Amino acid sequence: MDAEGDQVSMTVLDYETAAYDSDCESSVSDSGRLFREFARNGMVKLEESAEGGGGGGGEYGAVMKSFLVDMRFLGEEIDVVAVHKNMYSSVAGQAKLEAFRVFSRAVAARRGGDANVKYGWYGGSPDEIRDVVTYGFVGSGKFEKGISHGVGIHLSPVNSPFDSAMKAKEDENGVRHMLLCRVILGNTEIIGPGSEQSHPSSTQFDSGIDNPIAPTQYIVWTSYMNSHIFPNYIISFRAPCLIGLRRTWRSATTPNSLSMSFPVFLKVLSRFVHPSKVGLILNYYNEFRENKIVRSQLIRRLRNIVGDKLLSSVIKLCRNEVNSLLYSSFRF
């Protein structure tokens, strides 16, 4: 952002002065109906080959780096199709940008000069992403009882896109779409899993987080969703492996699902992996119990060490062998 009094903390390069490409619609016409919708709403496709300047190479690289930092374990399964940037080219786009700046300054004035602006990922269905780009956020997001941290818009930090990628749904071409947004967080408060809170608990707070040390979710209340969130980029990608991962991990991590305790799971897993890996997993488990890492970090590390195919097989084996524990929760 510019120096109009906005106090921001950015982790991705921010270029707001790039020229709008009037031929942007033709440049994405071969990428399908949704890309044309993006173009009609002032989004311009960034080119991978360009290096800085008007071509947007620097931005493309910054967005890709932020996306891949948490998705690298999926390896060649990830195919980035396109990165689009919001150029604020229309009258409505300029108004939305100016409104975001005004609210940034207002929050900064209330919070000692720092609006605590971050970048955050948001994943949804293709139609939802299109509607956000066209109209703004039109609902409070999907609330999952016992899982969601409050009722509002949930975004992932810039260095943790995996959770939002899991929420992104495929279009007819197998492509998923995620927004990379600037988010005004202001003063944050901790919102626990299963909370049905839908607004700040007091005037001292502006937004919510799930963990004060290493947050994996930003919660923006519905009343602030179109003033405190500004979509900057769209990344479109294919990741076929996420379909199976979502099924496996939804059943393995939902508190009320039929599952098994972690110690039993680790005991069965030890039959198939080297003792050094079991020891490493146990160390991560102890770090989780000591609140040094959060649940999603433990799960990601476990998947990275073991691999999803073996992990899925072990979970099934645990359920078959330890039938008496099927009615307890997955107790990390």
Side-chain angles (χ1 to χ4, degrees):
M1 298 179 73
D2 56 32
E4 298 179 19
D6 299 280
Q7 299 295 319
V8 297
S9 175
M10 295 299 182
T11 51
V12 178
L13 296 176
D14 185 19
Y15 301 80
E16 289 190 354
T17 57
Y20 174 62
D21 180 0
S22 61
D23 296 325
C24 61
E25 182 165 346
S26 62
S27 71
V28 299
S29 59
D30 292 337
S31 298
R33 173 186 56 80
L34 197 58
F35 284 2
R36 290 195 293 272
E37 291 281 349
F38 293 164
R40 274 194 287 270
N41 284 283
M43 308 296 293
V44 173
K45 185 178 180 182
L46 300 181
E47 298 299 332
E48 178 180 5
S49 58
E51 294 297 334
E59 289 175 280
Y60 182 94
V63 173
M64 285 288 290
K65 182 178 179 180
S66 297
F67 176 68
L68 293 175
V69 68
D70 198 41
M71 305 287 284
R72 193 173 291 113
F73 66 89
L74 294 175
E76 296 180 359
E77 299 261 11
I78 292 290
D79 173 26
V80 176
V81 176
V83 176
H84 287 81
K85 181 187 176 180
N86 190 348
M87 298 302 293
Y88 340 114
S89 56
S90 66
V91 173
Q94 286 289 327
K96 291 176 182 178
L97 176 60
E98 183 56 30
F100 184 84
R101 289 172 169 170
V102 169
F103 277 99
S104 294
R105 290 194 290 267
V107 172
R110 292 200 310 269
R111 308 305 181 197
D114 185 5
N116 192 17
V117 178
K118 304 288 187 183
Y119 270 92
W121 296 97
Y122 182 84
S125 69
D127 287 345
E128 184 180 3
I129 298 300
R130 179 203 61 206
D131 289 346
V132 170
V133 171
T134 306
Y135 308 109
F137 290 93
V138 295
S140 58
K142 183 179 180 181
F143 178 77
E144 298 178 274
K145 192 173 181 62
I147 300 175
S148 295
H149 295 251
V151 182
I153 303 298
H154 294 70
L155 303 99
S156 304
V158 68
N159 61 347
S160 301
F162 180 77
D163 290 341
S164 290
M166 291 288 280
K167 297 176 182 176
K169 294 181 174 61
E170 293 181 316
D171 63 19
E172 61 272 16
N173 298 313
V175 178
R176 302 167 191 263
H177 309 275
M178 287 169 57
L179 295 168
L180 182 56
C181 309
R182 276 178 287 180
V183 188
I184 303 170
L185 295 178
N187 280 354
T188 59
E189 59 181 311
I190 302 171
I191 310 297
S195 170
E196 296 186 15
Q197 183 175 331
S198 59
H199 53 76
S201 61
S202 77
T203 57
Q204 297 301 310
F205 300 108
D206 304 290
S207 64
I209 53 175
D210 64 333
N211 184 286
I213 300 175
T216 62
Q217 289 191 53
Y218 299 145
I219 301 96
V220 178
W221 309 118
T222 305
S223 55
Y224 296 155
M225 62 186 180
N226 284 313
S227 59
H228 288 44
I229 306 175
F230 187 82
N232 252 114
Y233 302 94
I234 301 173
I235 189 164
S236 304
F237 64 99
R238 290 188 179 91
C241 56
L242 289 183
I243 299 174
L245 295 184
R246 182 174 178 83
R247 276 198 301 267
T248 299
W249 285 107
R250 287 294 297 168
S251 64
T253 61
T254 301
N256 296 322
S257 67
L258 301 182
S259 192
M260 75 296 294
S261 69
F262 186 84
V264 172
F265 168 78
L266 193 60
K267 183 178 180 179
V268 176
L269 180 65
S270 65
R271 305 176 196 170
F272 305 96
V273 300
H274 192 274
S276 62
K277 291 186 176 181
V278 175
L280 183 58
I281 292 169
L282 185 58
N283 287 338
Y284 289 145
Y285 173 58
N286 290 332
E287 287 183 8
F288 171 80
R289 296 187 67 182
E290 296 168 3
N291 294 320
K292 293 181 179 179
I293 61 174
V294 296
R295 184 189 187 90
S296 61
Q297 290 174 305
L298 173 60
I299 291 173
R300 279 195 286 269
R301 293 178 184 184
L302 180 61
R303 293 175 54 212
N304 194 33
I305 294 171
V306 177
D308 294 300
K309 185 175 181 180
L310 175 58
L311 207 50
S312 179
S313 297
V314 170
I315 289 173
K316 293 176 183 178
L317 185 59
C318 285
R319 288 172 173 167
N320 291 334
E321 292 189 358
V322 196
N323 191 54
S324 63
L325 293 174
L326 284 176
Y327 297 97
S328 64
S329 63
F330 197 85
R331 296 187 296 272
F332 276 136

